[in-house]
Amino acid sequence: MARHPLTGRELMRLDHPPYTIDRSRFKPFDQRKNVFGRLIHDKNAPFYRRGLYDEIEKIIDDGRPGFSRVEFARVMGAWAVHDFFHYAFSWEPPSNPNSVMERPKLEKYIIGDTEAMTKMVKETAIMYGADLVGICKLNNDWVYSHDLEGRKLSLPSNCRYVIVMAVRMELERLEDTPTFTAGTETAFAYSKMAFIIACLAEFIRYLGYTAIPSGNDTALSIPLAVDAGLGELGRNGLLITPEYGPSVRICKVFTDMPLIPDKPLKFGVTEFCRNCKLCSMECEVGAISFDDEASYRTVCPSNNEGILRWAVDHDKCYMFWLENGVDCSKCIAVCPFSRITVKRDES
Ligand code: SF4
Ligand code: SF4
């Protein structure tokens, strides 16, 4: 098993996920409580009804380097697949009445060898553009209680597995944060997510199984990625992977296809974060904790209760995004795990 050069620890597979939950406080997260939900619903939020691009003309007119009209168009272009290809996030199979060729309807494919099918699914996800793939059994703790519109959420009970995928972002572009260049990289990763989940869901459906593709909707991606063995949670509130650190976006597909789950991974992230604190020091708005130890302390209404971790102040973070008219990637770019990386030497 490989050793991570930064932590000196082996990449160890665990029988249980490496997070701790206080059941007396925890309940599944309501998506209306995240920043984008509160932007719509929470009249007390400092960013109530304030979209990221509301001040964009002024920001462009200010003429700061990296904030030009053309560079902003590049951000918008990069979002296109994510924002406009709605089938990517649809629970129902897509249809196209204008298609010249009818897609054949085939019998359900009976899986004889689950191990071989699991390998095939992972290879297919990589083929469609995922950089990392892991599989976990669905833990309903991570499914949102309600979606952004306030509809109660529950996944079909047969969807017991989640294929979780990470899409790598180019560190060099993220380092140019907060500018439209880094924003383009984020947006492009979101569009790649939409592309990959659309293709993978259709692959699974075409074998006769249920597939529910998901980006940031439906369930929390980070704990599912931890369950699926893609990485650990960092002080910056992000998934830290051995291969790309936090320079990834996460997407997933829920399915009833029988698959073999991966085990969660541990390689010393929590221990390293205790002393590092680089993201806390570099965050321009003090949104990341300086506490030595993770705790159950929450710091803004968007933090879920009952999870042992360093809570990030999403209110401060989003206000900074508003100021710049673009998201920030500083806590990804400065993280040592983004540059000192390791490949896991397992099949
Ligand atoms: S994205 Fe930027 S503002 Fe938000 S927590 Fe990270 S460093 Fe701070
Ligand atoms: S910058 Fe340091 S403290 Fe922050 S997440 Fe990365 S390793 Fe952890």
Side-chain angles (χ1 to χ4, degrees):
M1 186 65 86
R3 203 172 271 279
H4 199 288
L6 209 53
T7 64
R9 302 225 181 170
E10 270 191 358
L11 276 65
M12 260 174 52
R13 290 289 181 178
L14 307 176
D15 289 329
H16 302 285
Y19 44 71
T20 309
I21 292 177
D22 177 350
R23 288 277 155 201
S24 67
R25 296 189 231 184
F26 177 85
K27 54 181 190 222
F29 193 64
D30 183 332
Q31 199 185 4
R32 288 171 297 181
K33 280 177 62 184
N34 79 15
V35 162
F36 301 104
R38 289 173 55 224
L39 187 158
I40 307 166
H41 301 288
D42 181 1
K43 291 194 173 113
N44 296 320
F47 44 81
Y48 178 60
R49 303 273 172 197
R50 292 182 66 190
L52 197 50
Y53 309 129
D54 289 359
E55 308 285 328
I56 210 68
E57 284 173 354
K58 183 186 169 306
I59 288 166
I60 291 168
D61 285 350
D62 283 349
R64 280 188 290 159
F67 290 88
S68 72
R69 171 82 175 73
V70 174
E71 286 161 316
F72 182 64
R74 198 153 62 176
V75 177
M76 292 290 100
W79 277 111
V81 177
H82 178 274
D83 286 359
F84 302 123
F85 183 51
H86 302 302
Y87 267 129
F89 306 96
S90 167
W91 290 24
E92 300 304 321
S95 62
N96 180 2
N98 301 321
S99 180
V100 181
M101 232 175 298
E102 205 169 315
R103 289 160 76 90
K105 291 183 176 53
L106 302 178
E107 293 282 301
K108 181 170 184 157
Y109 178 79
I110 305 300
I111 298 169
D113 182 341
T114 314
E115 198 176 328
M117 195 66 219
T118 302
K119 192 163 175 276
M120 173 63 90
V121 166
K122 288 182 175 178
E123 278 171 13
T124 308
I126 299 284
M127 200 178 261
Y128 291 153
D131 291 291
L132 299 172
V133 195
I135 292 168
C136 62
K137 279 198 177 155
L138 175 62
N139 177 350
N140 275 301
D141 280 347
W142 308 127
V143 178
Y144 294 134
S145 63
H146 298 79
D147 68 10
L148 278 182
E149 279 78 43
R151 289 178 296 235
K152 219 170 166 350
L153 265 181
S154 73
L155 284 160
S157 58
N158 61 340
C159 282
R160 293 175 50 227
Y161 298 96
V162 198
I163 303 153
V164 190
M165 293 158 283
V167 178
R168 183 177 68 91
M169 296 181 286
E170 286 292 343
L171 185 59
E172 206 179 307
R173 294 193 194 120
L174 294 183
E175 283 171 340
D176 200 3
T177 185
T179 65
F180 293 151
T181 300
T184 300
E185 190 59 17
T186 310
F188 193 46
Y190 271 99
S191 276
K192 283 189 201 164
M193 281 163 44
F195 178 93
I196 294 163
I197 57 176
C199 294
L200 193 71
E202 200 50 15
F203 164 71
I204 292 168
R205 288 170 183 146
Y206 228 84
L207 291 168
Y209 295 85
T210 303
I212 297 179
S214 169
N216 285 357
D217 54 294
T218 311
L220 290 165
S221 293
I222 294 175
L224 289 173
V226 170
D227 291 352
L230 294 190
E232 284 183 67
L233 180 66
R235 177 185 287 275
N236 54 8
L238 301 171
L239 177 76
I240 311 271
T241 65
E243 291 84 354
Y244 311 112
S247 304
V248 292
R249 296 282 155 190
I250 310 163
C251 54
K252 65 262 187 201
V253 174
F254 303 93
T255 184
D256 61 345
M257 178 180 270
L259 296 168
I260 299 174
D262 292 290
K263 287 184 168 189
L265 190 67
K266 184 138 185 68
F267 55 102
V269 171
T270 310
E271 296 74 10
F272 190 86
C273 285
R274 255 183 214 132
N275 297 320
C276 168
K277 300 183 185 174
L278 203 52
C279 51
S280 320
M281 290 184 270
E282 291 288 333
C283 174
E284 291 188 38
V285 289
I288 303 176
S289 169
F290 279 94
D291 293 351
D292 288 338
E293 297 297 332
S295 70
Y296 292 104
R297 195 164 72 87
T298 57
V299 292
C300 77
S302 288
N303 296 145
N304 206 9
E305 298 274 347
I307 302 169
L308 188 69
R309 46 97 200 267
W310 288 283
V312 172
D313 191 327
H314 299 287
D315 288 28
K316 286 183 180 168
C317 177
Y318 185 68
M319 290 305 286
F320 185 63
W321 294 17
L322 278 180
E323 201 182 309
N324 291 298
V326 74
D327 56 283
C328 165
S329 301
K330 189 57 112 15
C331 49
I332 298 176
V334 299
C335 180
F337 284 103
S338 288
R339 49 202 85 234
I340 300 175
T341 64
V342 68
K343 292 256 175 283
R344 54 192 91 184
D345 55 5
E346 52 187 18
S347 57

